[in-house]
Amino acid sequence: MSTLNQASDYQKNRILVEAAIAAAARRAGRNPQDIRLIGVTKTVPPEDVSPLLDAGIREFGENRWQQAKPKLESPRASEAVWHFIGRLQTNKIKYVVPHFAWIHSIDSFELAQAVSDYTARWDKPINVLIQVNVSGELSKGGLSPDDVVAAAKRIHLLPGLRLTGLMTMAPEEEMPEATRTVFSGLRQLLSEVQSELGDPKVCELSMGMSNDFEIAVEEGATMVRIGRRLMDPSYHHHS
Ligand SMILES: *Cc1c(COP(=O)(O)O)cnc(C)c1O
């Protein structure tokens, strides 16, 4: 993949994506300001952190510690809010927690507990989302929908973290419309979790990527995770 490197190119892409988010929000009678754009930077080199910030992208998503590390060590890294969105191995918790404000990929109570044990020591509460495998694809991570409410109840009680919502990845579909039931399924699951916990602050839905974020926004996404559509000049979406 070629990289853009120019703040002006990144800015052009950001404006297009934000306009598409706003249009999708309005179609659903939502306020576009309620949707947070996370730029997934996993494919960009560390020297692009600065142009991305200059382009007005403030929230960065990374799915592997090894790829994130050089970017987190770049001079302006602290100006961004970092989201960990990939599978988190227990032995990486100690690296991830100090740098990331959000972890979207909590896929077991045991992982949540290990994160909580670590953050409690640092007095640094971290925002977490439970990843749900709504589609049931074997290749996808996340808890089965049937296990989410019970896990959420236990994770909600952990002292070192703040449970903020749910995350999912939809299958790669030729027709983005086919992802709609996955997103509406996650929204329904969140309302179940909210009423079981009696906590309206558990309200985030992290769903939607380059190919399907408009549908995710129509279905209630509060965070979209966009990689290729922002970072890759040759990307053209399917629809
Ligand atoms: C790579 C990645 C994204 C972004 O995907 P694009 O299709 O490039 O927008 C979003 N979420 C997760 C978990 C990812 O790993």
Side-chain angles (χ1 to χ4, degrees):
M1 178 195 283
S2 59
T3 50
L4 295 159
N5 286 306
Q6 292 295 317
S8 59
D9 291 323
Y10 284 135
Q11 179 157 357
K12 222 177 291 161
N13 291 355
R14 175 183 62 77
I15 288 168
L16 287 171
V17 168
E18 282 179 350
I21 290 171
R26 283 192 212 96
R27 284 197 295 279
R30 303 184 58 206
N31 182 348
Q33 309 234 314
D34 293 340
I35 298 125
R36 190 190 304 245
L37 172 61
I38 300 170
V40 177
T41 45
K42 63 192 180 195
T43 59
V44 311
E47 54 272 24
D48 279 23
V49 167
S50 181
L52 279 163
L53 289 164
D54 290 338
I57 298 169
R58 284 274 170 280
E59 315 229 12
F60 292 2
E62 287 282 337
N63 69 337
R64 295 220 181 103
W65 166 248
Q66 285 306 333
Q67 284 167 344
K69 188 171 183 282
K71 283 165 246 185
L72 289 158
E73 288 165 350
S74 72
R76 298 179 62 194
S78 64
E79 294 175 43
V81 174
W82 295 84
H83 298 253
F84 195 84
I85 61 174
R87 181 158 286 170
L88 178 56
Q89 294 167 284
T90 317
N91 63 354
K92 298 296 190 307
I93 291 173
K94 61 177 178 290
Y95 305 124
V96 165
V97 163
H99 296 285
F100 287 82
W102 297 78
I103 298 173
H104 293 232
S105 42
I106 296 294
D107 58 5
S108 70
F109 174 74
E110 289 69 28
L111 178 62
Q113 188 164 45
V115 171
S116 176
D117 286 350
Y118 193 78
T119 54
R121 266 189 276 158
W122 284 72
D123 195 23
K124 178 189 186 286
I126 190 158
N127 299 308
V128 305
L129 296 94
I130 297 173
Q131 184 173 352
V132 187
N133 187 354
V134 179
S135 67
E137 278 182 298
L138 291 175
S139 62
K140 294 271 189 295
L143 282 174
S144 148
D146 293 340
D147 298 332
V148 168
V149 170
K153 280 186 181 167
R154 299 175 71 199
I155 292 171
H156 191 238
L157 296 173
L158 291 170
L161 44 77
R162 225 178 278 128
L163 178 62
T164 59
L166 305 179
M167 178 274 228
T168 199
M169 287 175 82
E172 264 298 318
E173 298 281 2
E174 263 313 300
M175 303 302 294
E177 191 59 34
T179 60
R180 190 177 293 279
T181 55
V182 169
F183 298 139
S184 63
L186 195 71
R187 186 189 63 230
Q188 283 157 23
L189 203 51
L190 182 71
S191 69
E192 255 181 78
V193 166
Q194 267 178 351
S195 63
E196 280 288 330
L197 299 179
D199 183 353
K201 290 201 294 293
V202 184
C203 61
E204 303 286 349
L205 283 171
S206 169
M207 56 190 197
M209 314 194 339
S210 290
N211 191 41
D212 53 24
F213 69 94
E214 288 154 288
I215 296 175
V217 167
E218 288 173 11
E219 294 299 328
T222 62
M223 306 169 121
V224 293
R225 310 178 309 268
I226 312 287
R228 291 170 290 168
R229 187 92 174 255
L230 285 171
M231 312 298 169
D232 178 359
S234 63
Y235 179 75
H236 297 288
H237 71 128
H238 300 298
S239 62

